[in-house]
């Protein structure tokens, strides 16, 4: 095993290793030194996020003709894992933006691609994704935000809940109901921040992800040009679910990067901390714990990279593997980070050590992009149906 490059056994190619190294360098230089300060002050570093546009992170798997990097899902996983080692919340915000950009690139008309994506891939415009509502979380097809056709516009009314980047993002990819109840009545709209009738709730006070704002997105007779409907009426639920396959891999990568950072802190601390006359890493009970944590991280990495490879190859079971990877990696990596805190003893509970922040940041990954209970539903349906 190459300890300096835990992904080496997956046989990454030269380009992928270069992407990994570039991202690690940026994260170590521009993110890691400020992450605790951003967390403490609840500061949204939009300037540093936008800097990643010059690295190609504004459109990682968007086509190159609109400024995208044209990379694959495995490449993206490497990027999000490396960024999350410095700050999971920072990495997650870039993931959300990329999910929105990918939807426009994949399902948008050519005019929409050319109008929105050049500024999104450069990160001149930042994007948020709006699906969840106060009464529609896991049951996404029950969303109630409604869009009614009025001449050459749609008029939207409703509220979206738990929207990362809300109030800061420049573009919102929004799921709204244009037709019947259920998934067939859902459509997708691209809505700029300055749309009349669009407003935002106060920033939520959260357990983690303090460096990015989470607000309601509120539509009150919000008028949206019909030309900003994505792919026609009724296509929204399919667009949303397709986007979530990749989003689940991304958030799993964020968990893996954060947990790896927590583990490395614990490993170093265990060699420095003395108890009963010797470093605590000389006690077999702690050695076994470290061995289990390393095994869990490597198992998570292999499952995640395999799932990303399947999505790149569009295998029939790619969606199921995305759900399995999201469930396994986010659960496992939260546990690794929590164990890293425990190995620090009381110091792990202090903000300055950075461990408690990682635990707080990783907890929400078991909830968003589909709860891990819903991941089990997806996996079980595949098994029974097969």
């Amino acid at each position: 095993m190459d300890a300096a490059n835990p992904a080496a056994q997956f046989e990454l190619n030269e380009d992928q290793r270069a992407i990994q190294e570039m991202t690690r360098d940026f994260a170590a230089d521009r993110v890691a030194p400020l992450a605790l300060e951003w967390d403490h002050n609840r500061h949204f570093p939009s300037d540093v996020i936008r800097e990643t546009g010059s690295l190609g992170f504004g459109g990682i798997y968007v086509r190159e003709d609109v400024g995208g990097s044209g990379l694959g899902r495995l490449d993206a996983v490497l990027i999000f894992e490396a960024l999350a080692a410095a700050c999971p919340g920072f990495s997650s915000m870039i993931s959300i933006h990329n999910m929105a950009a990918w939807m426009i690139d994949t399902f948008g008309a050519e005019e929409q691609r050319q109008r929105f994506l050049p500024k999104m891939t450069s990160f001149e415009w930042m994007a948020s994704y709006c699906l969840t509502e106060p009464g529609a979380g896991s049951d996404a097809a029950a969303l109630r935000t409604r869009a009614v056709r009025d001449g050459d516009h749609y008029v939207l009314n409703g509220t979206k809940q738990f929207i990362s980047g809300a109030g800061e993002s420049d573009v919102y990819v929004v799921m709204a109901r244009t037709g019947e109840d259920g998934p067939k009545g859902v459509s997708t709209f691209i809505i700029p921040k300055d749309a009349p009738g669009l407003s935002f709730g106060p920033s939520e006070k959260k357990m983690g992800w303090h460096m990015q704002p989470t607000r309601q997105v509120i539509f009150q007779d919000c008028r949206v040009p019909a030309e900003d409907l994505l792919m026609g009426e009724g296509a929204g639920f399919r667009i949303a679910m397709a986007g979530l396959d990749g989003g689940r891999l991304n958030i799993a990568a964020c968990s893996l990067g954060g947990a790896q950072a927590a583990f490395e802190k614990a490993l170093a601390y265990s060699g420095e901390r003395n108890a009963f006359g010797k470093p605590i890493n000389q006690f077999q009970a702690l050695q076994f714990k470290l061995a289990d944590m390393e095994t869990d991280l490597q198992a998570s990495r292999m499952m995640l990279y395999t799932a990303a490879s399947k999505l790149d190859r569009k295998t029939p079971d790619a969606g199921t593997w995305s759900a399995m990877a999201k469930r396994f990696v986010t659960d496992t990596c939260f546990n690794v980070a929590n164990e890293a805190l425990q190995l620090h003893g009381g110091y792990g509970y202090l903000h300055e050590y950075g461990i408690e922040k990682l635990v707080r940041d990783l907890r929400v990954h078991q909830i968003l992009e589909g709860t891990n209970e819903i991941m089990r539903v997806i996996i079980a349906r595949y098994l029974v149906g097969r």
Side-chain angles (χ1 to χ4, degrees), residues 16 20 76 106 113 137 159-160 176 197 221 235 256 331 333 371:
Q16 289 168 331
Q20 207 173 41
T106 303
R113 294 181 66 250
T159 301
K160 296 296 180 178
D221 293 330
L256 180 56
D331 280 348
C333 288
T371 67

Side-chain angles (χ1 to χ4, degrees), residues 16-90:
Q16 289 168 331
R17 289 193 294 270
I19 290 168
Q20 207 173 41
E21 183 177 356
M22 174 189 70
T23 310
R24 287 172 176 166
D25 288 346
F26 175 85
D29 180 50
R30 298 293 291 128
V31 182
L34 297 169
L36 288 178
E37 180 183 336
W38 295 338
D39 178 77
H40 181 265
N41 296 329
R42 287 175 161 77
H43 170 71
F44 183 58
S46 61
D47 55 334
V48 183
I49 290 174
R50 293 181 196 276
E51 281 181 35
T52 67
S54 64
L55 303 178
F57 295 172
I60 296 171
Y61 31 80
V62 169
R63 283 172 279 176
E64 296 179 62
D65 67 306
V66 286
S69 297
L71 298 176
R73 296 298 183 155
L74 178 56
D75 305 319
V77 159
L78 299 174
I79 290 169
F80 294 123
E81 180 185 351
L83 289 174
C87 179
F90 184 95

